[in-house]
Amino acid sequence: MGSLGAMLRYPDDIYPLLKMKRAIEKAEKQIPPEPHWGFCYSMLHKVSRSFSLVIQQLNTELRNAVCVFYLVLRALDTVEDDTSIPTDEKVPILIAFHRHIYDTDWHYSCGTKEYKILMDQFHHVSAAFLELEKGYQEAIEEITRRMGAGMAKFICQEVETVDDYDEYCHYVAGLVGLGLSKLFLAAGSEVLTPDWEAISNSMGLFLQKTNIIRDYLEDINEIPKSRMFWPREIWGKYADKLEDLKYEENTNKSVQCLNEMVINALMHIEDCLKYMVSLRDPSIFRFCAIPQIMAIGTLALCYNNEQVFRGVVKLRRGLTAKVIDRTKTMADVYGAFYDFSCMLKTKVDKNDPNASKTLNRLEAVQKLCRDAGVLQNRKSYVNDKGQPNSVFIIMVVILLAIVFAYLRAN
């Protein structure tokens, strides 16, 4: 659950937090009894609790395929991210990874903590993969092959231009969007629109660019070697070296660079909204929409925020719970994108060199949301100014006492 201070400040977070806590407990109790499937779902909870919640929206057959797809790509990503692996050893593994998923004897020890467990016991993932329908297997193999080749390319090449940045993000995330669309098609749940590849790619790029922006400090401080994904074409305007952005004496230039990175990510919003509008299955819609709302919310927090260069910036847990609880229709998506773009707009500094460009971008997003004609029905995500209130505090304390007594009894 969220911290007590946050719950007192935002009392309407409490009910969604309780629902999310129960959903997590329910998901953990529904782990399949078969060893390989049990490993897959247990590992999913460990490497991404939020994703393990979102995936519960899907029916069993599609959920199994998406779970395996996620773990295969997470394993591939673990190889790419491990900076201790020599390049001449890493590149062949990345290129051949799509063949290893058919081999229940294959494993490769790398990564740390839960990721090392995933790699050491990858045979469980392969066993689960081999039980999927042929259509799912073919989609997962194809995307893994293309992603591994793309990752190998950028092991030997730095991200210099914005085009390089888009290409790298395509390989590591845009292809995930394409792969999920193929899985939805294989399940018979969705149809592909003529522009499905472009808008599926944008869905992945929007999420990946948000992560790259948010994770600047973690990536630049990686040992033994920094991971650098911000394109030189952008950061080179503000610093001599990418690592210089983390130093306090460079805060003004660092924040300006950060803001330009956020603008770049916002360019994908129209495609993302178009993709979500095209979805027919309500469970797939929620599965796709929740992470997109989390991304626009995270960008709104990161924009003009020097804390990106000092520590971790992320949505409070109560707001995450609200997004998961409230996101049911496209009206909810339009409302969330409108609210977070409004929040971002209030943070634009007129002295920022890209202020005008940022405002134009945000106004385009807001117009798109307004033109949908559903904003009057939305529940605001960001206008709930957290204000401590003595009556609320008393009610919260009583409620928490009841909840803890109930949990202890059960």
Side-chain angles (χ1 to χ4, degrees):
M1 294 247 311
S3 69
L4 179 59
M7 287 190 287
L8 294 177
R9 186 171 174 79
Y10 300 95
D12 60 339
D13 285 0
I14 295 173
Y15 181 61
L17 278 166
L18 288 172
K19 288 182 71 174
M20 187 169 74
K21 186 176 188 301
R22 295 308 299 267
I24 292 171
E25 292 171 350
K26 181 180 178 182
E28 290 173 345
K29 289 176 181 177
Q30 290 179 334
I31 291 175
E34 300 89 348
H36 50 296
W37 285 112
F39 174 84
C40 288
Y41 279 98
S42 296
M43 188 54 56
L44 187 65
H45 294 316
K46 291 176 182 176
V47 299
S48 181
R49 179 164 287 190
S50 59
F51 187 80
S52 71
L53 263 182
V54 175
I55 202 177
Q56 297 302 318
Q57 312 299 325
L58 305 175
N59 66 59
T60 303
E61 180 186 301
L62 182 56
R63 182 169 67 241
N64 286 344
V66 173
C67 176
V68 171
F69 184 47
Y70 182 89
L71 291 177
V72 166
L73 299 187
R74 179 63 79 171
L76 183 64
D77 189 58
T78 299
V79 175
E80 185 210 19
D81 281 351
D82 193 330
T83 55
S84 68
I85 304 173
T87 298
D88 60 351
E89 184 178 334
K90 179 182 291 188
V91 168
I93 296 172
L94 294 173
I95 292 173
F97 207 92
H98 66 286
R99 293 195 292 270
H100 296 318
I101 60 179
Y102 287 94
D103 183 358
T104 54
D105 292 326
W106 185 86
H107 65 90
Y108 181 79
S109 187
C110 66
T112 59
K113 300 177 181 177
E114 59 269 19
Y115 301 105
K116 187 176 188 307
I117 298 171
L118 172 63
M119 298 305 298
D120 286 343
Q121 300 186 46
F122 192 75
H123 61 279
H124 288 304
V125 180
S126 295
F129 169 79
L130 292 172
E131 290 187 3
L132 298 176
E133 294 291 332
K134 188 72 171 176
Y136 295 133
Q137 289 182 358
E138 290 173 350
I140 293 171
E141 179 190 358
E142 180 197 351
I143 297 302
T144 305
R145 175 183 59 78
R146 293 170 64 183
M147 186 179 292
M151 287 177 168
K153 176 180 179 178
F154 278 93
I155 292 297
C156 308
Q157 172 186 325
E158 291 190 1
V159 179
E160 294 284 344
T161 67
V162 171
D163 285 344
D164 290 340
Y165 182 46
D166 285 342
E167 184 182 7
Y168 172 76
C169 290
H170 164 72
Y171 286 132
V172 301
L175 286 173
V176 179
L178 269 68
L180 287 172
S181 292
K182 286 176 175 285
L183 294 181
F184 301 155
L185 180 66
S189 303
E190 299 290 343
V191 295
L192 300 181
T193 59
D195 58 352
W196 74 273
E197 290 195 32
I199 61 179
S200 297
N201 186 60
S202 288
M203 289 281 284
L205 263 63
F206 188 58
L207 299 182
Q208 181 66 20
K209 288 183 176 183
T210 298
N211 291 341
I212 285 174
I213 291 166
R214 181 199 62 198
D215 295 341
Y216 164 84
L217 192 63
E218 177 186 341
D219 289 336
I220 208 71
N221 287 338
E222 179 72 16
I223 296 173
K225 182 182 177 183
S226 295
R227 297 196 300 263
M228 295 186 285
F229 304 117
W230 290 30
R232 184 187 296 271
E233 184 178 339
I234 292 179
W235 65 257
K237 302 174 189 177
Y238 307 95
D240 294 327
K241 294 184 292 185
L242 183 56
E243 67 184 45
D244 291 346
L245 298 177
K246 69 180 181 180
Y247 300 121
E248 288 192 30
E249 60 267 26
N250 300 324
T251 295
N252 187 49
K253 289 292 186 182
S254 299
V255 169
Q256 290 177 358
C257 180
L258 165 66
N259 292 347
E260 186 169 347
M261 289 290 291
V262 172
I263 297 169
N264 175 274
L266 295 175
M267 299 303 293
H268 300 287
I269 287 179
E270 283 87 348
D271 277 356
C272 294
L273 293 174
K274 188 175 183 181
Y275 183 94
M276 288 182 279
V277 164
S278 73
L279 295 172
R280 305 183 307 175
D281 185 291
S283 63
I284 290 176
F285 170 79
R286 278 175 51 79
F287 170 77
C288 293
I290 290 169
Q292 296 293 320
I293 294 176
M294 300 286 288
I296 182 67
T298 300
L299 289 176
L301 281 183
C302 288
Y303 184 83
N304 214 43
N305 186 352
E306 65 182 77
Q307 278 302 116
V308 170
F309 305 101
R310 309 285 177 262
V312 178
V313 176
K314 62 180 181 179
L315 297 177
R316 71 178 190 275
R317 192 164 176 79
L319 187 50
T320 298
K322 275 184 185 175
V323 171
I324 293 172
D325 185 47
R326 291 180 180 178
T327 306
K328 296 179 174 63
T329 68
M330 198 62 208
D332 300 321
V333 173
Y334 282 124
F337 271 74
Y338 185 84
D339 281 346
F340 283 120
S341 62
C342 288
M343 174 182 170
L344 207 156
K345 195 173 181 179
T346 64
K347 299 172 70 177
V348 176
D349 182 347
K350 66 180 181 180
N351 295 316
D352 186 278
N354 291 290
S356 177
K357 186 177 179 181
T358 307
L359 291 172
N360 289 339
R361 180 91 285 274
L362 293 171
E363 285 164 8
V365 172
Q366 290 173 339
K367 183 178 185 304
L368 191 62
C369 295
R370 283 195 302 268
D371 288 350
V374 293
L375 292 184
Q376 68 275 9
N377 301 322
R378 80 189 191 281
K379 293 181 179 179
S380 176
Y381 288 92
V382 297
N383 294 333
D384 51 344
K385 308 287 186 185
Q387 297 295 337
N389 178 290
S390 58
V391 176
F392 271 135
I393 291 174
I394 293 170
M395 291 173 64
V396 168
V397 170
I398 294 171
L399 177 61
L400 288 174
I402 294 171
V403 169
F404 289 142
Y406 171 79
L407 293 175
R408 190 177 295 115
N410 288 271

